[in-house]
Amino acid sequence: MLKEYFRKIKSFLLKDVNDEQETKELAILLRFLCILYILYYFISSIFLAFINHFSLSVIVLLFIGLIFIAFVNTYTDLTKKAMRIFHVTLYLSTILLTLISGWATNFQWNMLIPIMIIFFDINASMRNKMRFAQINIISFIALAVLSHLTDHAYTPGTLFSFFFQTFQTISYSCFILVISYFFCTKFNQAENKLRKINDKLRIMASLDTLTQLPNRRNMNEHLQTLVYDFNHSGKPFCIAIADVDFFKHINDNYGHDAGDYILTSLADMFKATMRGRGCAARWGGEEFLFTFEGMSGKQAYIILESLRMQIEKKKFLFKDHSIQITMTFGLEEYSQIIGAEATIAKADTKLYQGKSSGRNQVVF
């Protein structure tokens, strides 16, 4: 029961705004600050009444009414109006209470709270924020000078001065904590969103858009890792280049959509075959490059031969057409002596040997 009650309160406080020109985060921040300030003014009113400052206590209760109006406005798509009411209330209460009760009661620090709030507002320009902050600081300094030159109507005793100072310290700590929490949350959300976007862009930059296989750039980076592992741990790997036989005929006879379908279907077969064995990438056009990691050329040959036979037997159904294709592969073991580029070149040479000697084969 109690848990459900708190859930409803949380939902009420975190309610979104309907106006697209206003931000939910600012509205929620103002709501929490309004609640804290209502409590703050209420306790201040009790303190003032307790030391027989009844008229000042009543004035503080009026400030509670203004803060409550600001709170209500955050639910009626009037966040900007709510913020203005909130700021004006803090200014009036700060000036009035400081001049009447003196600098020692620490009411003056309320004048600095709006600076943090205005910087939280993403709709305000930085120029306006800086101007607002300058006006606040100048007003704060003027209030300090004026307060020390003015005879105060009410001067609390030492005990109540200490009590007020302690209360104010706790209150301002809470205000700053709430504002800092919202700043931190907002910053973390922006950081997480940016990180997700960057991760998405990184993935998009490393994958072939059609087949969703690693692209040539990604594969080159992967090859550098394999070479590093070979040089430091002796882990062997093989490189194979494959090409779809008579791919141009498919595009000419069935259209480029059919060609794209063939490539994406092959990519799915490659992913299944290479899982746990290495990597397959689209090298360019209808060409693919494979890396077989931690295995010899003979072992890689067996896998490629099995893959070649699967492709040969498979019927690729595109619309009303049943298309059969074959592929030719050139396979080469990596050699530290000649390096990765030369190993790829040798695999490519074997691919074209297979092309010129009948196609549909693995040349090793």
Side-chain angles (χ1 to χ4, degrees), residues 18-37:
N18 296 319
D19 192 345
E20 295 180 356
Q21 300 299 319
E22 298 184 354
T23 60
K24 174 184 177 182
E25 292 81 5
L26 180 59
I28 295 174
L29 172 60
L30 283 174
R31 290 167 194 165
F32 276 90
L33 288 175
C34 283
I35 292 173
L36 287 176
Y37 264 100

Side-chain angles (χ1 to χ4, degrees), residues 77-195:
D77 296 328
L78 295 171
T79 305
K80 291 182 180 179
K81 182 180 177 182
M83 189 160 63
R84 285 194 293 268
I85 295 173
F86 184 83
H87 287 172
V88 169
T89 303
L90 258 61
Y91 293 145
L92 290 175
S93 65
T94 300
I95 294 170
L96 182 64
L97 294 172
T98 302
L99 292 179
I100 293 177
S101 63
W103 194 263
T105 52
N106 286 336
F107 281 109
Q108 67 275 3
W109 300 109
N110 283 303
M111 188 170 284
L112 300 181
I113 297 297
I115 296 178
M116 291 183 282
I117 300 174
I118 195 68
F119 274 92
F120 190 82
D121 184 9
I122 62 173
N123 292 324
S125 66
M126 183 56 67
R127 182 178 180 181
N128 289 337
K129 289 177 181 179
M130 293 302 297
R131 185 183 294 120
F132 181 86
Q134 291 169 3
I135 293 172
N136 273 40
I137 293 171
I138 293 171
S139 300
F140 183 81
I141 295 171
L143 179 62
V145 174
L146 189 60
S147 173
H148 286 88
L149 295 176
T150 303
D151 292 330
H152 309 302
Y154 301 102
T155 304
T158 304
L159 179 62
F160 281 100
S161 291
F162 174 76
F163 195 75
F164 261 111
Q165 290 170 2
T166 303
F167 168 66
Q168 300 284 29
T169 301
I170 296 172
S171 298
Y172 296 134
S173 298
C174 292
F175 299 149
I176 293 173
L177 180 63
V178 169
I179 296 172
S180 299
Y181 173 80
F182 275 82
F183 265 108
C184 182
T185 302
K186 189 174 184 179
F187 175 79
N188 288 341
Q189 287 175 345
E191 280 290 303
N192 290 334
K193 186 176 181 180
L194 183 60
R195 190 178 295 112

Side-chain angles (χ1 to χ4, degrees), residues 58-76:
V58 173
I59 293 174
V60 172
L61 290 176
L62 295 176
F63 294 139
I64 293 178
L66 291 173
I67 293 294
F68 182 75
I69 292 172
F71 178 81
V72 172
N73 280 329
T74 63
Y75 288 95
T76 56

Side-chain angles (χ1 to χ4, degrees), residues 50-51 71 162 167 171 223 228 241 247 259 275 329 348 358:
F50 195 77
I51 56 176
F71 178 81
F162 174 76
F167 168 66
S171 298
L223 285 169
Y228 178 87
I241 294 185
F247 187 72
R275 190 172 294 115
F329 300 81
D348 196 46

Side-chain angles (χ1 to χ4, degrees), residues 236-247:
F237 68 95
C238 303
I239 296 174
I241 294 185
D243 184 272
V244 181
D245 298 329
F246 303 111
F247 187 72

